[in-house]
Amino acid sequence: MAGWARAVRGLLLDVSGVLYDSGADGGVPIAGSAEAVRRIKASGLKLQLCTNETQATREDFVRKLRAMGFDISVAEVTAPAPAACRLLKERGLRPHLLVHDDLVPEFAEVDKTNPNCVVLGDAAENFTYANLNEAFRLLIGMEKPVLISLGKGRYYKETDGLKLDVGAYMKALEYACDVQAEVVGKPARRFFESALAELGVPPEQAIMIGDDIVSDVGGAQQCGMRALQVRTGKYR
């Protein structure tokens, strides 16, 4: 075994495309993934799920994973929405939300009156022209527009094929408003640092495992971690 592998104390796992393929019916686990999680935990390695999931609250997300056979708790999930809420409160920002309906409860304690920023997530069917245009008008009308994106993925895999991810819509608003989005989820360094803090190990003692060469592997490497790409999910 390589020396660096012996020094590993913890794993960060992406979820969609690594543990399961999402879908309109809730998705299906990838063969062997639930058993792999059990073996990781039994080995004594620390485990944290590091996901850009923004179509559900963490509680609902964990309930879905547990129904699929994964032994996971809410505390073992690092997701963009809670990180975005902390950022909004720290900076006194009041968001206009363009997110999935099921994610809205995550922002229940955030002031959303008279918005001074736009928060963008994987809104799925809410990515209509009218909704995107409303976000555009808010941003273009601000003296200093603030666009916060809960990720920048290009696409992801569901059971019925590949789907456009939030990054495509983020780029559209960036271009239209001549603004650069602040990314809260992967591959943002701050997001990985937050996941490592929750994992409780330094970057040199952790490995990130994902199906996205940019957001998972590239983001982790820029944070000082080693990373592995699986050949499931969006892997081409």
Side-chain angles (χ1 to χ4, degrees), residues 158-211:
E158 287 198 339
T159 51
D160 61 347
L162 299 177
K163 301 291 179 71
L164 280 175
D165 204 350
V166 63
Y169 302 95
M170 179 195 82
K171 287 294 183 182
L173 289 174
E174 282 185 331
Y175 176 68
C177 301
D178 193 22
V179 63
Q180 184 171 353
E182 300 177 41
V183 179
V184 174
K186 297 177 292 185
R189 183 185 183 96
R190 181 175 175 178
F191 188 68
F192 278 107
E193 289 174 345
S194 176
L196 284 169
E198 292 175 331
L199 188 67
V201 301
E204 64 273 13
Q205 295 181 354
I207 297 178
M208 174 70 199
I209 300 174
D211 65 330

Side-chain angles (χ1 to χ4, degrees), residues 71-151:
D71 179 18
I72 294 296
S73 67
V74 172
E76 292 173 309
V77 177
T78 302
C85 289
R86 289 193 295 271
L87 182 150
L88 293 168
K89 291 178 180 179
E90 288 169 6
R91 293 169 53 182
L93 292 171
R94 303 178 303 277
H96 168 77
L97 300 176
L98 180 44
V99 300
H100 195 282
D101 290 341
D102 292 342
L103 189 69
V104 172
E106 288 276 20
F107 296 88
E109 297 182 7
V110 174
D111 183 5
K112 295 179 281 293
T113 59
N114 190 24
N116 58 2
C117 71
V118 170
V119 171
L120 191 67
D122 182 9
E125 284 74 19
N126 284 345
F127 278 136
T128 63
Y129 175 80
N131 287 342
L132 281 165
N133 201 49
E134 184 180 6
F136 158 73
R137 286 178 172 176
L138 283 166
L139 288 168
I140 205 71
M142 296 176 187
E143 183 178 349
K144 294 181 179 180
V146 177
L147 174 60
I148 297 171
S149 185
L150 306 182

Side-chain angles (χ1 to χ4, degrees), residues 19-31:
L19 299 184
Y20 82 107
D21 285 326
S22 59
D25 58 352
V28 294
I30 293 170

Side-chain angles (χ1 to χ4, degrees), residues 3-89:
W4 66 265
R6 286 193 291 269
V8 171
R9 294 174 50 214
L11 298 180
L12 296 179
L13 292 185
D14 182 29
V15 181
S16 179
V18 175
L19 299 184
Y20 82 107
D21 285 326
S22 59
D25 58 352
V28 294
I30 293 170
S33 57
E35 175 60 24
V37 169
R38 284 193 289 271
R39 291 176 64 185
I40 290 168
K41 289 193 167 187
S43 74
L45 288 170
K46 293 187 175 183
L47 177 66
Q48 190 76 13
L49 303 190
C50 188
T51 177
N52 271 2
E53 168 63 45
T54 58
Q55 288 195 9
T57 63
R58 278 195 305 172
E59 288 76 11
D60 287 344
F61 185 54
V62 167
R63 273 194 287 271
K64 179 171 74 172
L65 290 176
R66 293 183 69 87
M68 291 183 185
F70 294 101
D71 179 18
I72 294 296
S73 67
V74 172
E76 292 173 309
V77 177
T78 302
C85 289
R86 289 193 295 271
L87 182 150
L88 293 168
K89 291 178 180 179

